Amino acid sequence: MSEVSETTPQPVQAPHPGGPAPHPGAPHQAVPAPHQGPDAVPAPGAPGSFPAPYPPFGGGAPGFPEAAQPGRTPLAPPAPQGPFAPQPPHIASVPQTAEAGQPGPGPQTAPDPLAAPGPQTAPDAPGPQAAHAAPAPQGTQGGTQGASAPSAPQGAQAATGLPRTLQYRFDGPEDAPVLVIGPSLGTTWHMWDRQIPELSQHWRIFRYDLPGHGGAPAHAAASVAELGDRLLATLDGLGVQRFGYAGCSIGGAVGADLALRHPHRVASLALVASSPRFGTADEFRQRGVIVRTNGLEPMARTAPERWFTPGFAAAQPAIVEWAVQMVRTTDPGCYIAACEALAAFDIRGALGRIGVPTLVLVGAEDQVTGPAEARTLVAGIPDARLALVPGASHLAPVEQPAAVSDLLLMHFSTAWQQDTSAAIPVLPHITAPAAPSTPFVPVAEIAPAAATPDAVAPTPDDRYEQGTKVRREVLGDAHVDAVNDTADAFTEDFQELVTRYAWGEVWSRDGLDRRTRSVITLTALVTSGHLEGLAAHTRAALRNGLTPAEIKEVLLQTAVYCGIPAAGAAFAVAQKVIQEETTPPA
């Protein structure tokens, strides 16, 4: 089962993680940015800086460990006032229904610093309104097939196991505009815990878990677009039609996809540690091969160095362990499917069609989707602004929570200045009615859907374009690029023939899945003695879902029917490829 309940955040007990702790009573610094420029976040007190009153985030919502920073006087956040003040919290259970024969991962387990406390209340802190699993299509309240859960105040929306919806939770006032926040691969909605106390004073925050993450039902999604469709199905069931959206990494990819395919649903967009194309398809497909062969432990072990700066990881061991546990408790099949979705994701040619105000936020030390990818997004999206956060890597919301909160608050509350080289403007307080000349305009609301039609799907590729796509997916970009680089006037027609008919017609047919086609191809190559293509197709078989053990069985079968010498030579080729592809990173 997923987490049984979500509780209200504790009053702030310690400053937010990351960076040296200032002396007690020092004003809170949103971003310690010594440098200036259009990409820089100005230091407090400088022109265009963020206001100082934002307190550091300490004891957050359950699931997020405390940042160890001795010597700092705890500060409690001010009690929110005005129309965005939170309503009395209620607690809702989160049952889960697993797919038959494939139970999803249980709730996260971790040492004491990571354990979620029991239900508590905290004055002056906006509490979570509910934690939910995916709603039934008819909006059924309470209960679930094959699972039971303790009763909860005001009822709980039950998991039905349907793959069309996502596990979610709400924080903030029920009558506030809706802001959707998406997680990164291998994390849960808890990666945003430190932003919730501030953001939920202004918006009704909707957070969701990716399939198989955080105890969510393990219904793998095949593409970023499918994740977006499931998110919209979940929001449709709740009556949420228009919303602001912020997402980290793959969560950002979901937001960009929605802005392209459903532009009337997204009012404003924030892309955090995101990219129009995540690395190379080969990198993510190999990551899937490693997880399929070795489980998630290699990914969990290397997560801290991908997600955090070295100094932060050394200073915050509890947060590092929390991050590792998030990866370990993810469903491997859903993780692999997400890797495949990222491998196929590429919107570089469509950025100009994103028509909503967009904040592109990136950690200055992000080695996964760094400033270069962020600048590509800003250059392509017509109404986009770059925010570079010093002292942060890939999980900037965890490593520099106050800076990220300030940037999100300002972006979703105000319009960008016309002069994009100017310093980022000060975020006005929204605790009292705004002046008539600058009224506050919500970014989203719960209202009937607009009549604007969805974006029209592109025309299907012809056989050559489809063949190029499938060939790259199966054999990898590196292999196809190498073949194309060696082609000349004498061989280019043959390469077009192979691409159009072998890959655009036969490999693209629906009659057999790619795993089965890989089995047939391996057998045919061994039988015919064409071992020069066996290495590429062994690599393809791994990416198409065959395990090393299954490839071994295929070659043993060929030994019986094709001869021992042929199979022996094939074993030598396949063994080398399997060692290269399945060895986890050091």
Side-chain angles (χ1 to χ4, degrees):
M1 292 180 64
S2 58
E3 292 187 30
V4 174
S5 66
E6 297 294 332
T7 64
T8 54
Q10 298 299 303
V12 173
Q13 300 295 326
H16 66 276
H23 62 79
H28 166 60
Q29 297 187 3
V31 184
H35 62 281
Q36 299 297 324
D39 296 344
V41 180
S49 66
F50 296 116
Y54 293 117
F57 303 111
F64 197 89
E66 194 68 35
Q69 289 191 354
R72 173 68 181 265
T73 302
L75 300 176
Q81 302 174 1
F84 296 103
Q87 304 300 313
H90 67 268
I91 312 302
S93 61
V94 190
Q96 178 210 329
T97 300
E99 202 167 285
Q102 285 190 330
Q108 298 184 27
T109 58
D112 289 342
L114 307 181
Q120 301 179 35
T121 58
D124 302 333
Q129 302 303 300
H132 306 272
Q138 297 83 10
T140 304
Q141 296 277 335
T144 181
Q145 298 178 358
S148 60
S151 60
Q154 303 186 22
Q157 300 232 6
T160 63
L162 295 176
R164 287 286 300 166
T165 52
L166 297 173
Q167 179 171 280
Y168 69 96
R169 67 172 284 165
F170 272 118
D171 296 273
E174 294 185 3
D175 59 347
V178 175
L179 177 59
V180 177
I181 300 183
S184 67
L185 175 61
T187 73
T188 71
W189 62 43
H190 285 302
M191 69 160 285
W192 293 101
D193 279 353
R194 298 298 175 91
Q195 281 67 50
I196 299 307
E198 289 289 343
L199 298 184
S200 62
Q201 293 186 42
H202 306 275
W203 299 285
R204 182 148 173 81
I205 306 300
F206 175 99
R207 287 186 281 174
Y208 65 91
D209 276 329
L210 298 170
H213 290 59
H219 299 292
S223 66
V224 169
E226 184 177 343
L227 288 173
D229 290 342
R230 295 188 190 184
L231 174 58
L232 288 185
T234 308
L235 293 171
D236 288 344
L238 299 167
V240 178
Q241 298 298 333
R242 189 164 169 82
F243 48 85
Y245 187 96
C248 181
S249 195
I250 192 174
V254 172
D257 174 76
L258 290 179
L260 287 168
R261 295 191 300 120
H262 304 276
H264 62 288
R265 302 292 296 269
V266 181
S268 190
L269 182 64
L271 305 177
V272 180
S274 195
S275 176
R277 186 190 188 194
F278 291 80
T280 68
D282 291 352
E283 292 170 356
F284 278 98
R285 292 197 172 100
Q286 184 177 13
R287 187 185 295 189
V289 169
I290 290 173
V291 172
R292 188 178 291 112
T293 306
N294 302 278
L296 278 165
E297 185 57 32
M299 299 299 108
R301 188 176 64 249
T302 58
E305 65 188 55
R306 296 196 308 269
W307 288 353
F308 306 123
T309 59
F312 179 86
Q316 304 294 349
I319 293 178
V320 169
E321 178 59 23
W322 162 81
V324 168
Q325 285 297 96
M326 279 195 298
V327 180
R328 283 176 176 156
T329 55
T330 298
D331 177 79
C334 290
Y335 189 98
I336 293 169
C339 289
E340 291 290 334
L342 288 174
F345 181 77
D346 188 352
I347 59 169
R348 289 174 294 178
L351 292 178
R353 295 195 289 109
I354 296 179
V356 298
T358 302
L359 170 67
V360 179
L361 190 156
V362 64
E365 300 182 47
D366 190 344
Q367 301 299 313
V368 181
T369 51
E373 287 84 355
R375 290 188 174 93
T376 301
L377 288 169
V378 172
I381 299 173
D383 187 8
R385 179 71 180 272
L386 176 64
L388 192 67
V389 181
S393 185
H394 193 58
L395 288 194
V398 175
E399 195 162 5
Q400 293 290 350
V404 172
S405 297
D406 288 341
L407 287 162
L408 294 178
L409 280 163
M410 184 270 302
H411 172 67
F412 288 110
S413 300
T414 65
W416 295 112
Q417 297 179 354
Q418 293 298 317
D419 181 7
T420 58
S421 65
I424 296 175
V426 177
L427 172 69
H429 291 288
I430 312 177
T431 56
S437 60
T438 57
F440 172 76
V441 180
V443 299
E445 67 275 349
I446 298 177
T452 308
D454 290 346
V456 179
T459 304
D461 296 330
D462 64 15
R463 288 180 299 176
Y464 180 80
E465 291 171 341
Q466 176 67 13
T468 299
K469 178 177 178 291
V470 174
R471 191 179 190 184
R472 287 185 175 278
E473 289 175 354
V474 174
L475 295 178
D477 288 332
H479 176 87
V480 176
D481 289 342
V483 171
N484 290 340
D485 289 344
T486 59
D488 55 20
F490 182 73
T491 61
E492 63 182 1
D493 289 342
F494 173 74
Q495 290 301 325
E496 181 177 348
L497 176 73
V498 171
T499 301
R500 184 180 298 275
Y501 292 103
W503 297 101
E505 288 198 358
V506 176
W507 271 89
S508 297
R509 292 175 63 86
D510 295 330
L512 295 174
D513 60 32
R514 290 185 184 177
R515 281 172 49 90
T516 304
R517 292 189 187 280
S518 280
V519 170
I520 295 170
T521 302
L522 292 177
T523 304
L525 289 172
V526 176
T527 303
S528 61
H530 295 308
L531 300 185
E532 66 277 3
L534 185 63
H537 278 280
T538 300
R539 190 172 288 107
L542 290 168
R543 294 177 180 180
N544 285 341
L546 290 176
T547 65
E550 290 172 327
I551 293 175
K552 178 179 69 174
E553 293 301 323
V554 171
L555 297 184
L556 287 173
Q557 191 81 3
T558 62
V560 173
Y561 291 94
C562 305
I564 298 295
F571 264 104
V573 173
Q575 180 184 36
K576 181 180 179 181
V577 172
I578 290 172
Q579 288 176 345
E580 293 174 352
E581 292 291 310
T582 63
T583 300

